[in-house]
Amino acid sequence: MKFKWAAAAVTLAILAATYGLFLVGFSQGGKHTPKAENGFLDLTAWPFADNGAVPLDGEWEFYPDQLLDAEHFALASAKGGAPPPERIEVPGSWSGRMPTLGMATYRLQVKVGDPTAVYGLKTASIQMSNRILVNGQVVGQSGIPAERQHDVAVNRPYASFFTLKPGWNEIIVQTANHEFPASSGVVESIYLGPSAQISGLRDKALTHDWIAVTAFLIMGLYFIGLYSQRKHDVSLLVLGMVCVCFALFTSTRGERVLFAVFGYIPFWLYLRVQMISAIGGGLGLILYVYTAFRPFCSRGLIRFGVAAGAALAIWALFLIPRYATDWYRQLVTVYATLSPLYAVYVFVLAAFRKVEGSLYLTVAAVALNVYVLMQNVNVYFAVPVDSLPPFEPFVLLLMLALLMSLRFSNAFKKIEELSVQLLRSDKLKDEFLARTSHEFKSPMHGIMHISRSLLEDTRHPPTAEQREKLHLVMSITGRLSQLVYDILDFSKLKQGELAIDPAPVDVRSAVETQVRIYSFLCEDRNTRLMNLVPDGLPFALADESRLSQIIGNLLDNAVKATKNGSIVVAAAEKDGMIEISVSDTGEGMDAQNIPHIFEAFQTFDETKENRGFGLGLPIVKQLVELQHGNISVSSVKGVGTTFTFTLPIASGGEIGGRAQTASGRAELPVKTPEYVLKTPYYLNQKGKHTILIVDDQFLNLKVLMDALQPLGYNVIAVQNGFEAMEQIGGPNKIDLVVLDLMMPGLSGYEVCQEIRKTYTLPELPVLMVTAAIGPQDKVAAFEAGANDFLPKPFDLAELKARIGGLLALKDSLAKAVDLEVAFLQSQIKPHFLYNVLNSIVASSYTDVERSRKLTADLADYLRGSFRFSHTEKRISFEEEFGLIRTYVEIEKARFKDRLRFEYDIAEGMFLVNLPPLLIQPLVENAIRHGISHRIGGGKVKLTAYQAEGEYRFVIEDDGVGFDSELALHQPEAKPGRRQGVGLLNINKRLKYEYGTGLQMESAPGQGTKVTVRIPAEPA
């Protein structure tokens, strides 16, 4: 309450100060000017040059209800005896002498000191039409003063110029008012002076009014325009309308510039514009303080003010001009005066409460009060409105500009603070998403693994309904897992933290990799995935992993939308860019959804089965744009969808794909990297293990070699899949392959699949290294036969650990093979011994020498078999051959002439070192399983020679033969088949020791040929 009393006191003080100051100033007046007496004004002593124009104030002759001219007065003077005229004080209304509505004539005789000069008259307000005659000549007119039926009311100020004669000069003012019952006659001073001074008065008045009108109108339009941008702030619109109303009111006062803009305006319209604008200004101020400072307003006063303003406005619209009485004019004056005064009170009260901008509004409201004061003293005291410079509009304009500046400044500060808080909150949100997303991975993968184990449970197989629900659980968790990766990528893209490492990329290889991945993942769909990217397409300048992510996301969408049909990936060079398209024959999209397809969290698939989370395509779009490309989509409902994106061509003109050479073999193009080495590159450190590293970027090969060199590994580095297959099929023993997933020509998937056709997972481990980051990439890598998966960029310590683990796996296989050798060595082979002993006993009765020889051969054979320790890694072929001959001699005792054994041993082959019991079991297999099953027996031939950098041992027989495709792929021997632990063991040992394996050629009834290849030792 104390604030209200204080605000009221300050408001009264402001009112007293402003009104008192101006009223005192006006009461003291300026220069003392001559006054007319009895219709005569002598100005011969008035210094026009020093004091300027003079108002023709004082007693004029007054002739009510008559419009008289100079001839009438000349005739009356000639006749003489005319009654004395009435006198009236000018300026002022004639309502005290006659009815307000009517017509009359004013007459004044003036004498000037210099009649040779050009003089002028400046009128202000002569209601409501008038005509001025000087010495019988019409010098100025506003409207047409006449009887009511002929009167045209136009109360417009003007200036007129003329010459005077020596002596007394007659000035006649004819005026009529049949429209405005509030006042009539010459209500404001008429000024007389030299033409230059009168022109100056007119220009000053016009300038004053135009400045005021322009200032109010500009501010009004500004606030209305501001409201169009901030429609929630109604106070801006109200304040704009207030300023427009004051501009309109000003244009109807003073020089009436409204006429200058629109020309002739009917009096009824002019008067309504004047009154409505005055009432609208007051009503608008009341509404403004209510909309902008509602807590500080009295609702009762606001309601009363609005009701009073509405009543006055209705009066002005429907009852003016006939009932525009002086009493009504006074009501409008009070209303237009109290409204700014109440606004001052509210603004002062708001200033006490430290409300934004209230001080500026207080000063603006005081300026408005001064403006209202000037209009009031003009109406009631005939003080010209241009008596003071037009500072009120300027003060108002300045205060409102400062108010807007303050508001914008505070709003900007608040926005800055909110932006900082928002950025902090957004960062916290992203951190929360990142952390929770990582936390979601483990439980989701756990759910997937448990669901898969339940599906594959053979002891307690699930029912059909349970299987369907478990598949649904796995599908949902898979989608949630993809959402986790999408959220992480989206968060990085949003923060600008996603790093892009552009490099020349073979588009065909990247597409082929993703097509293979999704071919694995949609095997249960009737959908064909085709890679139609042509060979020889230039390399694209892109981030390899992100390009794969783009293609993968588009393929994922296409697979979801295409249950039956085809998905085609194509590419071509166009306008200096690589244009890649992913087309499907799926469901397509509605036309109205296409413009929103790249917006985050927008999903248009209404089916629960395929509905996504709306992040894949926005991520694709941003990834494409980050790599200086563009993406577009075209789709027809029920026909299919095509996504097309572009990427820049890598500089240097590298060509991707498989370029055909003259020999018909596909070879890779050579890039122009920072680091170059000639491949295959051999780093031989005489280590225990040899590692083959395959990567199409020389810098990656260098990093891998530098990481492996301190560990003592032998390293072979190649730059593409074709060189890798040559090394794996060559004489070098490979213990581990570190394989890049995406390579031009022959991808890592294809290389891995080729390796698995010959080697099992333990025999030749494969570590897949790739920049691909999606879970589907890992699944596809393992489906292709990889032992382990390591995403780029990798930690070298982790790489070394994974390599060590895979080599340990291979070493464990070697130990298992050694145990098998020991088992083979320790086998007594009862059936073989039984047959030999029977032969010895039988021979002892008929041929003692033969019996002794068989006993000696058996002893040599057993001594040779048991002599080799499983820790003994190498023996000479000469020792192995001795064991073979002993065994053959024993078997000849059984088979007699049915067994023929031949051998062809090249020079120097007896000195070759090889693992023990490598050749003898093969000869034994040839005799026992090839020859023994034939009634007529057969021949076994052993050949040993050196060729193409290899030691080759060939065991041939002409026995029953077998299906060679199945021989080395059976885990254990079965009746009727020529395979067993010994044969499989030899194959494993060859792969482990030399990376070669057995070569077997056989067919049922056509004999068998087995080749053992051992890399030749360098000379």
Side-chain angles (χ1 to χ4, degrees):
M1 183 62 69
K2 64 178 181 179
F3 286 112
K4 293 183 178 180
W5 286 110
V10 171
T11 303
L12 291 176
I14 292 173
L15 178 66
T18 54
Y19 277 51
L21 179 64
F22 285 100
L23 290 176
V24 168
F26 290 136
S27 64
Q28 290 180 354
K31 302 181 293 288
H32 292 282
T33 59
K35 299 292 182 180
E37 296 180 0
N38 297 321
F40 291 89
L41 181 61
D42 187 358
L43 298 176
T44 55
W46 179 257
F48 284 100
D50 297 330
N51 294 336
V54 62
L56 303 180
D57 296 345
E59 289 182 343
W60 286 51
E61 294 178 6
F62 181 66
Y63 302 90
D65 298 321
Q66 302 177 75
L67 295 177
L68 307 177
D69 55 15
E71 293 180 0
H72 171 82
F73 290 109
L75 182 61
S77 176
K79 290 181 179 181
E86 295 184 20
R87 303 284 189 268
I88 191 169
E89 195 71 25
V90 175
S93 176
W94 70 44
S95 56
R97 300 294 184 89
M98 59 175 287
T100 306
L101 300 179
M103 55 185 182
T105 301
Y106 292 80
R107 182 170 180 261
L108 178 67
Q109 296 189 60
V110 179
K111 181 187 288 186
V112 296
D114 182 13
T116 61
V118 177
Y119 288 87
L121 286 174
K122 170 70 176 69
T123 67
S125 177
I126 303 176
Q127 299 171 342
M128 291 303 296
S129 58
N130 64 85
R131 183 184 297 116
I132 298 179
L133 297 88
V134 176
N135 296 325
Q137 300 295 320
V138 177
V139 297
Q141 183 173 333
S142 176
I144 302 175
E147 297 290 339
R148 177 175 180 82
Q149 61 272 23
H150 301 295
D151 179 71
V152 178
V154 179
N155 183 18
R156 180 177 183 182
Y158 57 86
S160 58
F161 303 96
F162 46 84
T163 57
L164 297 176
K165 63 184 180 179
W168 294 97
N169 294 268
E170 181 185 54
I171 299 176
I172 297 173
V173 178
Q174 299 174 349
T175 180
N177 178 20
H178 303 287
E179 304 287 346
F180 188 58
S183 61
S184 294
V186 183
V187 295
E188 293 188 38
S189 300
I190 300 174
Y191 282 83
L192 173 68
S195 60
Q197 294 180 356
I198 295 300
S199 296
L201 286 176
R202 180 191 59 188
D203 294 342
K204 173 187 175 184
L206 284 172
T207 301
H208 178 280
D209 290 352
W210 275 117
I211 289 175
V213 170
T214 305
F216 282 124
L217 188 61
I218 287 176
M219 287 308 300
L221 296 178
Y222 170 73
F223 282 114
I224 293 173
L226 193 59
Y227 167 74
S228 67
Q229 300 175 8
R230 303 180 63 184
K231 294 186 182 297
H232 65 280
D233 192 355
V234 183
S235 65
L236 293 173
L237 176 63
V238 176
L239 187 57
M241 296 306 298
V242 168
C243 293
V244 171
C245 286
F246 278 110
L248 281 174
F249 180 76
T250 303
S251 69
T252 64
R253 301 288 300 161
E255 294 299 297
R256 278 73 165 176
V257 296
L258 187 67
F259 291 105
V261 176
F262 296 102
Y264 172 74
I265 297 176
F267 179 74
W268 62 268
L269 177 59
Y270 164 81
L271 190 57
R272 280 176 170 81
V273 170
Q274 186 182 67
M275 290 301 175
I276 291 295
S277 60
I279 297 167
L283 180 60
L285 278 174
I286 293 174
L287 292 175
Y288 175 71
V289 297
Y290 179 71
T291 54
F293 299 89
R294 186 173 302 181
F296 309 103
C297 298
S298 169
R299 292 199 175 192
L301 287 176
I302 295 296
R303 290 173 182 171
F304 176 77
V306 172
L312 292 173
I314 292 172
W315 191 332
L317 285 172
F318 300 104
L319 301 180
I320 283 182
R322 175 59 60 183
Y323 296 97
T325 62
D326 188 53
W327 181 70
Y328 173 76
R329 184 172 63 175
Q330 292 174 8
L331 285 178
V332 173
T333 300
V334 171
Y335 185 78
T337 303
L338 291 180
S339 297
L341 190 62
Y342 183 67
V344 172
Y345 164 75
V346 174
F347 297 153
V348 171
L349 182 59
F352 283 153
R353 299 294 180 87
K354 298 181 179 179
V355 176
E356 175 189 71
S358 56
L359 183 60
Y360 294 133
L361 286 172
T362 302
V363 177
V366 172
L368 279 177
N369 275 282
V370 173
Y371 171 81
V372 173
L373 172 63
M374 289 302 302
Q375 298 298 326
N376 288 337
V377 296
N378 172 256
V379 172
Y380 295 103
F381 302 101
V383 176
V385 293
D386 59 343
S387 299
L388 293 176
F391 71 91
E392 317 100 279
F394 283 107
V395 172
L396 178 68
L397 184 65
L398 177 62
M399 291 301 106
L400 293 180
L402 290 175
L403 172 66
M404 289 297 101
S405 175
L406 177 64
R407 286 186 174 179
F408 287 146
S409 176
N410 291 341
F412 183 73
K413 290 179 182 177
K414 189 173 183 180
I415 289 173
E416 279 189 326
E417 294 174 358
L418 292 175
S419 297
V420 172
Q421 295 177 10
L422 182 62
L423 290 173
R424 188 182 300 114
S425 300
D426 193 55
K427 186 176 180 180
L428 290 174
K429 179 261 296 179
D430 290 337
E431 290 178 358
F432 171 77
L433 282 176
R435 291 180 181 179
T436 52
S437 298
H438 283 296
E439 293 297 326
F440 284 152
K441 288 181 183 178
S442 297
M444 282 192 298
H445 289 168
I447 294 172
M448 294 177 68
H449 295 328
I450 293 172
S451 301
R452 186 175 289 108
S453 66
L454 290 174
L455 281 171
E456 298 173 356
D457 190 350
T458 55
R459 293 196 305 165
H460 305 286
T463 64
E465 183 180 358
Q466 290 171 339
R467 292 182 68 85
E468 181 180 356
K469 291 180 179 179
L470 288 171
H471 280 297
L472 181 60
V473 169
M474 292 180 64
S475 174
I476 293 172
T477 51
R479 289 166 53 203
L480 288 175
S481 178
Q482 185 60 47
L483 175 63
V484 168
Y485 289 103
D486 286 345
I487 288 175
L488 292 175
D489 280 345
F490 190 72
S491 177
K492 290 180 180 179
L493 284 167
K494 188 177 176 184
Q495 297 297 326
E497 297 176 354
L498 191 67
I500 296 295
D501 184 19
V505 178
D506 182 8
V507 176
R508 178 177 175 80
S509 176
V511 170
E512 181 65 24
T513 299
Q514 294 301 316
V515 167
R516 286 179 176 272
I517 289 174
Y518 282 91
S519 297
F520 285 132
L521 299 180
C522 64
E523 288 179 348
D524 55 339
R525 290 174 174 262
N526 187 22
T527 304
R528 292 180 294 111
L529 274 70
M530 293 180 285
N531 177 11
L532 298 185
V533 178
D535 290 330
L537 189 71
F539 279 26
L541 184 63
D543 186 300
E544 185 177 18
S545 64
R546 296 304 172 183
L547 174 58
S548 298
Q549 185 178 359
I550 292 168
I551 298 171
N553 277 350
L554 295 179
L555 284 175
D556 185 65
N557 279 337
V559 168
K560 289 178 181 177
T562 310
K563 295 182 179 179
N564 296 287
S566 62
I567 300 171
V568 177
V569 185
E573 182 181 356
K574 185 177 181 181
D575 299 331
M577 304 285 282
I578 300 295
E579 186 179 85
I580 306 167
S581 63
V582 179
S583 305
D584 65 69
T585 58
E587 301 171 355
M589 293 181 287
D590 294 324
Q592 65 268 23
N593 295 334
I594 293 178
H596 309 287
I597 197 67
F598 294 111
E599 296 177 7
F601 304 106
Q602 289 286 344
T603 56
F604 306 105
D605 193 345
E606 297 299 329
T607 61
K608 294 183 179 179
E609 178 184 356
N610 292 329
R611 182 178 296 177
F613 298 95
L615 286 178
L617 290 177
I619 291 174
V620 165
K621 183 176 187 295
Q622 294 188 59
L623 287 177
V624 170
E625 292 175 350
L626 276 176
Q627 299 176 86
H628 308 290
N630 293 304
I631 187 169
S632 60
V633 58
S634 61
S635 182
V636 178
K637 189 69 175 179
V639 177
T641 303
T642 299
F643 285 91
T644 304
F645 66 95
T646 59
L647 292 172
I649 296 176
S651 61
E654 297 92 339
I655 303 300
R658 303 185 184 186
Q660 297 296 325
T661 63
S663 62
R665 179 175 177 177
E667 293 186 356
L668 292 180
V670 179
K671 302 179 185 179
T672 310
E674 298 178 1
Y675 177 83
V676 180
L677 57 85
K678 184 179 180 180
T679 58
Y681 181 85
Y682 299 94
L683 178 63
N684 189 0
Q685 302 189 101
K686 305 297 183 180
K688 177 182 177 183
H689 297 103
T690 299
I691 300 176
L692 175 66
I693 56 176
V694 190
D695 200 302
D696 61 327
Q697 296 189 17
F698 294 110
L699 189 58
N700 291 342
L701 293 176
K702 176 64 175 174
V703 170
L704 288 170
M705 285 191 295
D706 290 344
L708 298 176
Q709 186 174 6
L711 303 178
Y713 297 127
N714 304 320
V715 179
I716 303 175
V718 296
Q719 65 168 326
N720 56 65
F722 300 106
E723 291 184 355
M725 295 309 301
E726 288 179 357
Q727 292 298 319
I728 292 170
N732 297 303
K733 171 197 170 186
I734 308 295
D735 297 299
L736 172 67
V737 180
V738 179
L739 182 62
D740 184 29
L741 182 63
M742 287 179 284
M743 295 182 297
L746 196 63
S747 69
Y749 289 115
E750 296 170 299
V751 173
C752 195
Q753 288 174 327
E754 290 297 322
I755 291 174
R756 289 295 165 249
K757 291 179 181 179
T758 307
Y759 300 94
T760 62
L761 291 168
E763 290 172 349
L764 184 54
V766 176
L767 172 60
M768 197 78 80
V769 180
T770 179
I773 55 177
Q776 67 273 16
D777 299 298
K778 298 180 182 179
V779 173
F782 290 126
E783 290 282 351
N787 294 71
D788 204 352
F789 184 94
L790 187 62
K792 294 179 182 178
F794 49 78
D795 182 72
L796 291 180
E798 182 181 4
L799 172 70
K800 295 174 183 178
R802 290 178 184 264
I803 288 176
L806 292 175
L807 291 175
L809 171 67
K810 184 175 177 64
D811 289 340
S812 65
L813 173 65
K815 293 180 181 179
V817 171
D818 289 341
L819 290 175
E820 286 187 9
V821 174
F823 171 73
L824 289 174
Q825 292 172 337
S826 62
Q827 287 185 80
I828 302 300
K829 303 178 183 177
H831 185 68
F832 170 73
L833 292 177
Y834 177 76
N835 289 333
V836 174
L837 290 174
N838 280 341
S839 298
I840 293 173
V841 171
S843 298
S844 65
Y845 291 103
T846 58
D847 191 345
V848 175
E849 290 299 325
R850 184 170 176 270
S851 174
R852 290 177 179 174
K853 185 177 184 304
L854 280 174
T855 303
D857 289 339
L858 177 60
D860 290 340
Y861 174 75
L862 293 176
R863 187 182 305 110
S865 296
F866 295 134
R867 186 176 69 84
F868 306 125
S869 169
H870 68 276
T871 59
E872 189 174 357
K873 299 299 182 181
R874 297 288 187 272
I875 64 170
S876 66
F877 176 63
E878 184 177 8
E879 295 179 79
E880 179 89 0
F881 184 72
L883 183 62
I884 293 171
R885 294 190 62 180
T886 302
Y887 174 76
V888 170
E889 290 298 324
I890 294 174
E891 290 293 1
K892 281 185 176 181
R894 290 180 53 208
F895 295 103
K896 301 188 184 307
D897 295 336
R898 292 175 55 213
L899 172 62
R900 299 185 302 279
F901 178 71
E902 299 177 1
Y903 55 88
D904 181 8
I905 310 300
E907 184 179 359
M909 290 299 294
F910 284 114
L911 301 178
V912 173
N913 291 322
L914 70 166
L917 295 179
L918 191 67
I919 308 300
Q920 185 272 333
L922 297 177
V923 175
E924 181 178 348
N925 272 339
I927 295 173
R928 295 180 57 195
H929 300 287
I931 304 302
S932 63
H933 292 293
R934 291 186 62 182
I935 298 175
K939 180 179 70 173
V940 176
K941 182 177 181 180
L942 171 61
T943 306
Y945 60 95
Q946 182 177 353
E948 298 180 3
E950 294 179 334
Y951 299 129
R952 296 182 181 179
F953 301 89
V954 182
I955 299 93
E956 298 178 83
D957 68 69
D958 55 2
V960 294
F962 64 97
D963 186 356
S964 61
E965 293 294 327
L966 300 177
L968 300 178
H969 300 280
Q970 300 297 326
E972 58 186 16
K974 292 183 180 180
R977 295 242 180 121
R978 267 196 65 192
Q979 72 274 6
V981 175
L983 192 62
L984 294 176
N985 177 270
I986 293 171
N987 190 57
K988 290 178 183 178
R989 290 163 67 197
L990 285 173
K991 289 181 178 180
Y992 174 75
E993 294 286 346
Y994 305 110
T996 55
L998 290 174
Q999 288 185 350
M1000 305 188 69
E1001 301 174 22
S1002 181
Q1006 297 182 12
T1008 302
K1009 179 180 179 181
V1010 180
T1011 303
V1012 175
R1013 297 180 299 113
I1014 297 177
E1017 297 178 359

